Amino acid sequence: MKIYIVYDSEVGHTEKLARSIAKGANSVEGTEVFINHVNNANIRDLAEMDAIIWGCPGHFGSISSGLKAWIDKLGFLWAHGKLVDKIGSVFCTTATVHGGIEATLLNLITPMLHQGMMVVGLPANIPENAFYGSYYGIGITSPDEDSDDELSHSLYEKGLTLGEALGKRVANMTKTLATGKKLLSSNQI
């Protein structure tokens, strides 16, 4: 089972979140995780993946220009249905508490739906998510490194923990889907 994580990151916060998601996904047996900055990610690799997770810093409630330019190259895959029925999930970071996290997550989900992907979020039965997270994916506020604000640093660390939970959930959902497909194909013989 192959999971590809693609991220855009400017100062490292989003990359750190991407790596926490990869850690969670890798905790599920049989998972192989590929992780790349958007500048090094090849869109054609997506066709070979079972799940795709992408994320970026939120820019005014929307996708960063780097990830948006990369997503805009997916037309070939869309035209050939290469991403249909793959699991997808999203993540983002913002610099301020009300910096457009949910708007960015929804903007990241939209291209996945256009591709025919099945989007996986994080449910409220994960206690930390009920109090801090989002159901659309993982969106966290990044602390200013020069700040001594313990709350913002604490919330960021909780967000990284949610990243691990999202990675694990995506891997488990992908495994469930793959198992179901195998059962269906074996019953049709």
Side-chain angles (χ1 to χ4, degrees):
M1 176 174 64
K2 296 179 180 179
I3 297 176
Y4 202 154
I5 300 172
V6 178
Y7 67 91
D8 190 9
S9 188
E10 295 161 358
V11 295
H13 293 117
T14 311
E15 178 180 3
K16 194 171 181 181
L17 179 55
R19 295 202 179 281
S20 74
I21 294 167
K23 181 180 177 185
N26 273 321
S27 73
V28 176
E29 186 178 334
T31 303
E32 188 177 5
V33 177
F34 303 86
I35 184 168
N36 265 316
H37 187 278
V38 69
N39 292 343
N40 302 318
N42 184 337
I43 61 159
R44 299 208 183 241
D45 291 341
L46 298 179
E48 304 304 317
M49 300 297 140
D50 299 298
I52 301 155
I53 306 170
W54 61 49
C56 64
H59 287 186
F60 308 107
S62 194
I63 305 171
S64 68
S65 62
L67 186 60
K68 179 68 169 92
W70 186 82
I71 289 170
D72 285 346
K73 296 176 187 174
L74 298 177
F76 171 83
L77 298 174
W78 172 81
H80 293 90
K82 298 289 187 181
L83 303 184
V84 171
D85 292 340
K86 292 186 186 292
I87 297 287
S89 195
V90 299
F91 61 98
C92 75
T93 60
T94 59
T96 59
V97 175
H98 299 288
I101 286 174
E102 288 188 346
T104 302
L105 292 172
L106 290 169
N107 280 306
L108 287 165
I109 288 170
T110 301
M112 289 184 165
L113 295 173
H114 279 255
Q115 293 286 342
M117 297 172 68
M118 296 176 281
V119 178
V120 172
L122 210 55
N125 69 339
I126 296 170
E128 298 85 359
N129 199 48
F131 296 115
Y132 174 66
S134 170
Y135 309 107
Y136 310 112
I138 299 299
I140 61 176
T141 303
S142 303
D144 178 355
E145 267 60 30
D146 296 332
S147 168
D148 292 331
D149 180 21
E150 290 181 30
L151 179 60
S152 67
H153 287 279
S154 170
L155 290 175
Y156 180 70
E157 291 303 319
K158 286 181 181 184
L160 295 178
T161 301
L162 286 174
E164 288 183 39
L166 180 69
K168 187 174 183 177
R169 178 168 164 77
V170 168
N172 281 323
M173 294 301 295
T174 304
K175 191 177 217 177
T176 299
L177 181 64
T179 301
K181 285 181 179 180
K182 283 181 188 174
L183 285 173
L184 281 175
S185 67
S186 68
N187 287 337
Q188 294 178 359
I189 295 177

